[in-house]
Amino acid sequence: MEPVKVAVIYYSATGTVHALARAAADGAEKTGAQVRLRKVAETAPPEAVDARPEWAQHIRDTADVTEASPDDLAWADAVLFGTPTRFGNVASQLKAFIDTTGGLWFQGRLADKVYSAFTASNTAHGGQESTILALGNVFYHWGGIIVPPGYTDPVQFQSGNPYGTSHVAGDGPPGDVVLAAARHQARRVVDTAAALKAGRAA
């Protein structure tokens, strides 16, 4: 059987979700999956970006990360989406990318893939679960197979979010536990996608 193809597609303003995305990509790669790590385009006006030095710096630091395109979704067997919370919802930059996928959806090319999501907020109770659930609404419309991490690994009892990996950015950069949770989530996604792929081939 061919390796599972995984796209990790994310938006990150200052680097927190980028760190989670890299950990997820690492977890998927270590299972033998083919992985595409993709950021979505920045749509905020330059004056907004430049007003926060850490935001402008992150854009410079990730200049070498390829921007996502609908082709990445068509290519993938499984997709992990990452976004910071914005008032308990998906960041507009990721939503703008999702809104370009109507053609693929209409052709049925987003259905029957495995989907999962991860997030970060500045504060505890800052909308992490509602943001992941909001992405779930997209996956329902696409006909996707949603795979959350649940409490399927000891690290989940430390990280504490069964919906998807999440981090409180106000506490500093993601530490070992949350990065391990992101890697576990990606492994679970790959394992599920591999089982589906094998079943369809049988």
Side-chain angles (χ1 to χ4, degrees), residues 151-187:
Y151 291 101
T152 56
D153 186 272
V155 74
Q156 289 303 117
F157 291 92
Q158 296 177 271
S159 63
N161 193 337
Y163 299 85
T165 303
S166 60
H167 179 64
V168 178
D171 292 343
D176 291 343
V177 169
V178 73
L179 296 177
R183 286 190 283 269
H184 166 66
Q185 183 174 352
R187 288 193 301 269

Side-chain angles (χ1 to χ4, degrees), residues 95-185:
K95 183 63 166 58
F97 170 76
I98 289 169
D99 287 347
T100 70
T101 64
L104 288 176
W105 165 79
F106 188 75
Q107 296 167 32
R109 296 174 67 193
L110 299 177
D112 302 324
K113 297 175 185 284
V114 170
Y115 296 99
S116 200
F118 54 93
T119 190
S121 62
N122 195 51
T123 61
H125 314 294
Q128 295 174 354
E129 291 177 1
S130 63
T131 298
I132 292 172
L133 291 170
L135 276 168
N137 292 333
V138 176
F139 307 152
Y140 301 144
H141 280 262
W142 286 352
I145 299 161
I146 300 173
V147 176
Y151 291 101
T152 56
D153 186 272
V155 74
Q156 289 303 117
F157 291 92
Q158 296 177 271
S159 63
N161 193 337
Y163 299 85
T165 303
S166 60
H167 179 64
V168 178
D171 292 343
D176 291 343
V177 169
V178 73
L179 296 177
R183 286 190 283 269
H184 166 66
Q185 183 174 352

Side-chain angles (χ1 to χ4, degrees), residues 34-75:
Q34 296 178 17
V35 179
R36 291 184 182 180
L37 178 66
R38 299 288 188 263
K39 66 183 180 185
V40 299
E42 180 59 78
T43 59
E47 56 270 22
V49 175
D50 292 341
R52 293 186 60 190
E54 68 275 27
W55 193 352
Q57 183 62 50
H58 180 65
I59 288 176
R60 290 191 291 271
D61 290 345
T62 57
D64 60 335
V65 179
T66 303
E67 283 193 0
S69 76
D71 176 66
D72 296 312
L73 292 176
W75 168 85

